[in-house]
């Protein structure tokens, strides 16, 4: 069995195709809301209801002639759109209800999932195809054939992007005025064309610099949101002054959406290029298991941390290292990488964020704090599980500099009482098997 990947391409539809796409997105939303109303009514009346995708589709097929009717003319309009748009909306509803039920029973990890809500016209337009589409061909590498819409021109060579993989699903969405298609493909596992040439590297993620590598490579943070913050404030103030429902309000809303899309695109571009470079060049990549959600609770750093998207950086490293054959090692989050000297191994009691240079009081080392942390992460990630960065026991008795004990030398005390400085594989589940 191969691995699933997503190939996202920008579409260049004609005005007629844009109207058809908007109609399909509206049909998916209508089917979702109709199915949700059916489930809510049954639950309110205490009646048993089956909310599986198959049952919701069967209910829709039995009642679509009464539901999808133009209230003014009485015309039944469901046949104007592909059946896949209705099926996709009901599939999303079934998944949302399943997540809510499992979360309520404690069978789903993560935050508590609420009951699904009705979708508004102002949400993102989206619909999907699971059957009926045609895979891109070499004779028309820039074309994508969608049922009931026809051939839609793509802004890039989608045939090369798919590269012979089996096309499983196509999701069409509209963001900031632009239509995109996300193609889910199943790709057979193959050995990497070229193995990473360099050895192990430690990666320290941060706000000032997005990533600092242990070989002194620095990847600056794009600060995408900060760069557009002034323009966003101006555009949002202008939006708040427009009359609801007016054409000028729609224009102002589009201007805000385009600014947010630009922020997201700049951030994604930098992270994609950085993670690709690391995964392709280094055979062992060591990173920290950062508690990003907990760090974002600091109101002074919340915006900067969210702008840096540290969790997305790790997520991309996980699947990209699996593709290239590199090993991703995740160092324990309780390891004091910034406060520990990379030369002598002595840990400082305190190291404020304002101190950008690490000065060791024992051996006299003076080094950039992010580079010092990256070196410690590399050594800890390359060490055996129960050895620290100096090859000694994890408790490091007597190697704390200052007036603090060992527990105070870290940002927080480990819940288990000791720090495991060895690293786990971060991408072992995603690594494909090659026969």
């Amino acid at each position: 069995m191969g691995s699933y990947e997503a190939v996202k391409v920008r579409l260049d539809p004609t005005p007629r195709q844009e109207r058809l796409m908007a109609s399909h997105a509206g049909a998916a939303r209508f089917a979702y809301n109709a199915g949700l109303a059916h489930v809510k009514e049954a639950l309110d009346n205490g009646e048993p209801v089956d909310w599986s995708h198959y049952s919701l589709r069967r209910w829709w097929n039995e009642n679509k002639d009464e539901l999808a009717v133009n209230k003014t003319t009485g015309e039944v309009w469901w046949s104007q759109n592909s059946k896949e748009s209705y099926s996709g909306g009901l599939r999303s509803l079934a998944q949302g209800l399943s997540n809510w039920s499992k979360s309520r029973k404690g069978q789903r990890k993560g935050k508590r999932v609420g009951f699904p809500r009705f979708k508004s016209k102002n949400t993102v337009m989206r619909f999907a195809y699971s059957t009926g589409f045609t895979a891109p061909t070499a004779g028309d590498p820039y074309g994508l054939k969608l049922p009931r819409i026809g051939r839609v021109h793509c802004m890039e060579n989608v045939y090369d992007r798919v590269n012979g993989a089996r096309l499983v699903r196509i999701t069409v969405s509209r963001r900031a005025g632009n239509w995109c298609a996300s193609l889910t493909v199943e790709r057979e596992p193959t050995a990497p064309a070229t193995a990473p040439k360099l050895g192990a590297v430690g990666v320290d993620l941060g706000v000032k610099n997005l990533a600092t590598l242990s070989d002194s490579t620095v990847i600056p943070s794009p600060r995408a949101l900060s760069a557009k913050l002034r323009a966003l404030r101006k555009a949002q103030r202008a939006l708040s002054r427009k009359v609801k429902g007016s054409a000028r309000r729609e224009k102002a809303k589009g201007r805000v959406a385009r600014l947010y899309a630009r922020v997201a695109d700049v951030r994604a571009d930098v992270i994609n290029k950085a993670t690709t470079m690391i995964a392709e060049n280094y055979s062992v990549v060591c990173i920290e298991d950062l508690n990003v959600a907990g760090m974002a609770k600091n109101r002074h750093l919340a915006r900067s941390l969210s702008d840096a998207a540290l969790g997305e950086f790790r997520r991309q490293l996980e699947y990209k290292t699996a593709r290239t054959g590199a090993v991703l090692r995740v160092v324990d989050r309780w390891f004091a990488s910034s406060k520990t000297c990379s030369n002598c191994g002595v840990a400082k009691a305190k190291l404020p964020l304002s101190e950008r240079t690490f000065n060791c009081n024992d051996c006299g080392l003076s080094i950039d704090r992010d580079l010092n942390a990256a070196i410690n992460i590399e050594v800890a990630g390359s060490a055996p599980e129960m050895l620290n960065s100096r090859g000694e026991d994890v408790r490091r008795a007597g190697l704390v500099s200052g007036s603090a004990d060992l527990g105070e030398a870290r940002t927080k005390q480990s819940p288990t009482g000791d720090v495991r400085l060895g690293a786990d594989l971060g991408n072992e589940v995603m690594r494909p098997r090659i026969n």
Side-chain angles (χ1 to χ4, degrees), residues 100-152:
W100 166 74
S101 178
K102 289 179 180 178
S103 176
R104 196 177 172 205
K105 296 175 182 177
Q107 300 173 357
R108 189 179 189 275
K109 296 180 180 180
K111 292 184 178 180
R112 186 78 176 265
V113 177
F115 192 80
R117 300 179 182 178
F118 291 103
K119 289 185 181 293
S120 166
K121 288 183 178 180
N122 298 323
T123 56
V124 177
M125 292 186 181
R126 182 183 289 109
F127 63 98
Y129 296 100
S130 58
T131 60
F133 49 77
T134 304
T137 61
D140 186 16
Y142 286 84
L144 202 60
K145 293 183 179 179
L146 304 177
R148 305 301 298 271
I149 295 175
R151 180 197 178 277
V152 183

Side-chain angles (χ1 to χ4, degrees), residues 175 225 232 236 255-265:
R175 187 189 66 149
L225 180 60
L232 275 168
Q236 287 172 327
R255 194 173 299 114
V256 173
R258 286 192 295 273
L259 283 170
Y260 273 116
R262 175 63 180 171
V263 169
D265 290 342

Side-chain angles (χ1 to χ4, degrees), residues 183-200:
L183 286 69
T184 303
V185 299
E186 184 181 7
R187 203 180 300 279
E188 292 300 323
T190 56
T194 56
K197 299 177 181 178
L198 303 179

Side-chain angles (χ1 to χ4, degrees), residues 152-168:
V152 183
H153 185 74
C154 301
M155 302 294 283
E156 53 187 310
N157 192 325
V158 66
Y159 177 76
D160 285 349
R161 294 285 306 277
V162 173
N163 194 22
R166 186 175 74 89
L167 187 56
V168 178

Side-chain angles (χ1 to χ4, degrees), residues 223-237 259-260 263 303:
R223 299 179 182 266
L225 180 60
S226 301
K228 292 291 182 181
L229 203 55
R230 185 175 180 181
L232 275 168
R233 285 171 176 161
K234 183 178 179 181
Q236 287 172 327
R237 281 197 298 266
L259 283 170
Y260 273 116
V263 169
R303 180 191 291 164

